[in-house]
Amino acid sequence: MANWMEFEVLCSRGDLDGVIAAVGRGVDINCDNFTRHTGLMSAVCRGQNMVVEWLLQQPAIEVNRQCQWGSTALFLAVACNEPALLSLLLAHPTADPTIRDNQGKSPLELSRWGTGRQGEICSDLYRDEGFA
Protein backbone atom coordinates (compact mmCIF):
# COMPACT_ATOMS: atom_id res chain seq x y z
CA MET A 1 0.00 0.00 0.00
CA ALA A 2 1.26 3.48 -0.81
CA ASN A 3 2.00 5.71 2.14
CA TRP A 4 1.30 9.43 2.53
CA MET A 5 4.75 10.51 1.35
CA GLU A 6 4.55 8.48 -1.85
CA PHE A 7 1.02 9.68 -2.58
CA GLU A 8 1.91 13.33 -1.88
CA VAL A 9 4.91 13.13 -4.22
CA LEU A 10 2.82 11.53 -6.96
CA CYS A 11 0.14 14.22 -6.63
CA SER A 12 2.53 17.16 -6.45
CA ARG A 13 4.55 15.92 -9.45
CA GLY A 14 1.44 15.37 -11.53
CA ASP A 15 2.04 11.62 -11.95
CA LEU A 16 -1.55 10.70 -12.77
CA ASP A 17 -0.73 7.07 -13.60
CA GLY A 18 1.05 6.75 -10.26
CA VAL A 19 -1.85 8.36 -8.40
CA ILE A 20 -4.34 6.00 -10.04
CA ALA A 21 -2.12 2.99 -9.26
CA ALA A 22 -1.68 4.07 -5.62
CA VAL A 23 -5.44 4.44 -5.14
CA GLY A 24 -5.89 1.06 -6.82
CA ARG A 25 -3.49 -0.43 -4.26
CA GLY A 26 -5.65 0.92 -1.46
CA VAL A 27 -4.17 4.29 -0.52
CA ASP A 28 -6.66 6.52 1.30
CA ILE A 29 -7.42 9.26 -1.24
CA ASN A 30 -7.78 11.71 1.66
CA CYS A 31 -4.64 10.72 3.58
CA ASP A 32 -2.78 13.69 4.95
CA ASN A 33 0.59 14.69 6.37
CA PHE A 34 1.60 16.23 9.69
CA THR A 35 0.07 19.60 8.68
CA ARG A 36 -3.06 17.80 7.45
CA HIS A 37 -2.40 18.65 3.78
CA THR A 38 -3.93 16.08 1.42
CA GLY A 39 -2.85 14.91 -2.03
CA LEU A 40 -5.54 17.15 -3.50
CA MET A 41 -4.05 20.15 -1.73
CA SER A 42 -0.54 19.26 -2.93
CA ALA A 43 -1.73 18.87 -6.52
CA VAL A 44 -3.54 22.23 -6.35
CA CYS A 45 -0.45 24.00 -4.98
CA ARG A 46 1.66 22.61 -7.83
CA GLY A 47 -0.88 23.36 -10.56
CA GLN A 48 -1.38 19.71 -11.48
CA ASN A 49 -4.65 20.07 -13.37
CA MET A 50 -4.98 16.48 -14.56
CA VAL A 51 -4.41 15.03 -11.09
CA VAL A 52 -6.84 17.51 -9.50
CA GLU A 53 -9.47 16.72 -12.13
CA TRP A 54 -9.10 12.97 -11.55
CA LEU A 55 -9.17 13.31 -7.76
CA LEU A 56 -12.34 15.42 -7.96
CA GLN A 57 -14.05 12.62 -9.90
CA GLN A 58 -13.49 10.16 -7.06
CA PRO A 59 -16.59 9.70 -4.87
CA ALA A 60 -14.58 9.52 -1.62
CA ILE A 61 -12.68 12.80 -2.13
CA GLU A 62 -13.13 15.29 0.69
CA VAL A 63 -12.92 18.61 -1.14
CA ASN A 64 -13.50 20.67 2.00
CA ARG A 65 -10.85 18.99 4.18
CA GLN A 66 -8.97 21.64 6.15
CA CYS A 67 -5.27 21.66 7.03
CA GLN A 68 -3.98 22.73 10.43
CA TRP A 69 -4.33 26.39 9.39
CA GLY A 70 -7.91 25.88 8.24
CA SER A 71 -7.11 26.16 4.52
CA THR A 72 -8.98 24.03 1.99
CA ALA A 73 -8.07 23.23 -1.60
CA LEU A 74 -10.12 26.31 -2.59
CA PHE A 75 -7.94 28.53 -0.38
CA LEU A 76 -4.82 27.05 -1.92
CA ALA A 77 -6.07 27.53 -5.49
CA VAL A 78 -6.51 31.24 -4.72
CA ALA A 79 -3.25 31.56 -2.76
CA CYS A 80 -1.24 29.77 -5.46
CA ASN A 81 -2.85 31.76 -8.28
CA GLU A 82 -4.47 28.76 -9.97
CA PRO A 83 -7.71 30.10 -11.51
CA ALA A 84 -8.25 27.01 -13.69
CA LEU A 85 -8.10 24.80 -10.61
CA LEU A 86 -10.29 27.21 -8.66
CA SER A 87 -12.88 26.84 -11.41
CA LEU A 88 -12.67 23.02 -11.25
CA LEU A 89 -13.01 23.07 -7.47
CA LEU A 90 -15.96 25.47 -7.51
CA ALA A 91 -17.72 23.16 -9.97
CA HIS A 92 -17.51 20.22 -7.55
CA PRO A 93 -20.94 19.64 -5.99
CA THR A 94 -19.64 19.52 -2.41
CA ALA A 95 -17.19 22.45 -2.59
CA ASP A 96 -18.00 25.05 0.04
CA PRO A 97 -16.46 28.48 -0.62
CA THR A 98 -17.86 29.81 2.66
CA ILE A 99 -15.56 27.74 4.88
CA ARG A 100 -13.34 30.01 6.96
CA ASP A 101 -9.73 29.41 7.90
CA ASN A 102 -8.24 29.78 11.38
CA GLN A 103 -8.07 33.55 10.89
CA GLY A 104 -11.77 33.73 10.04
CA LYS A 105 -11.26 34.39 6.31
CA SER A 106 -12.99 32.67 3.40
CA PRO A 107 -11.38 31.89 0.02
CA LEU A 108 -13.46 34.68 -1.50
CA GLU A 109 -12.03 37.19 0.97
CA LEU A 110 -8.54 35.91 0.19
CA SER A 111 -9.18 36.38 -3.54
CA ARG A 112 -10.14 39.99 -2.90
CA TRP A 113 -6.78 40.54 -1.21
CA GLY A 114 -4.96 39.28 -4.30
CA THR A 115 -2.95 41.89 -6.07
CA GLY A 116 -3.26 42.74 -9.72
CA ARG A 117 -4.55 40.13 -12.11
CA GLN A 118 -4.64 37.31 -9.52
CA GLY A 119 -7.25 39.04 -7.40
CA GLU A 120 -9.27 40.03 -10.45
CA ILE A 121 -9.31 36.53 -11.94
CA CYS A 122 -10.25 34.82 -8.68
CA SER A 123 -12.93 37.37 -7.82
CA ASP A 124 -14.33 37.08 -11.35
CA LEU A 125 -14.52 33.29 -11.02
CA TYR A 126 -16.37 33.55 -7.73
CA ARG A 127 -18.80 36.04 -9.24
CA ASP A 128 -19.31 33.88 -12.33
CA GLU A 129 -20.07 30.89 -10.09
CA GLY A 130 -22.61 32.97 -8.15
CA PHE A 131 -20.66 33.22 -4.89
CA ALA A 132 -19.67 36.89 -4.92
Side-chain angles (χ1 to χ4, degrees):
M1 178 185 295
N3 62 27
W4 155 252
M5 289 178 60
E6 176 188 352
F7 192 65
E8 188 275 334
V9 168
L10 293 168
C11 289
S12 66
R13 289 187 179 167
D15 184 348
L16 182 57
D17 291 336
V19 169
I20 293 169
V23 171
R25 289 192 309 272
V27 71
D28 176 0
I29 203 165
N30 297 301
C31 63
D32 54 19
N33 67 8
F34 65 97
T35 63
R36 299 196 322 254
H37 272 96
T38 64
L40 175 62
M41 292 175 182
S42 295
V44 166
C45 288
R46 295 294 189 126
Q48 301 298 348
N49 295 36
M50 290 175 41
V51 170
V52 171
E53 188 171 355
W54 187 84
L55 289 171
L56 291 174
Q57 294 172 0
Q58 306 314 301
I61 195 71
E62 294 177 15
V63 176
N64 299 312
R65 173 80 67 98
Q66 292 179 277
C67 72
Q68 73 179 23
W69 300 284
S71 295
T72 64
L74 282 171
F75 275 91
L76 297 172
V78 172
C80 296
N81 195 23
E82 293 291 346
L85 294 179
L86 178 61
S87 184
L88 279 174
L89 290 161
L90 286 170
H92 193 275
T94 65
D96 183 355
T98 66
I99 292 175
R100 296 187 176 277
D101 67 8
N102 294 354
Q103 295 179 349
K105 303 297 181 199
S106 72
L108 178 57
E109 290 167 324
L110 180 62
S111 75
R112 289 180 178 151
W113 293 344
T115 59
R117 192 74 182 123
Q118 173 189 2
E120 291 174 26
I121 290 170
C122 292
S123 290
D124 288 350
L125 280 169
Y126 270 103
R127 186 183 62 252
D128 291 348
E129 296 292 330
F131 296 111

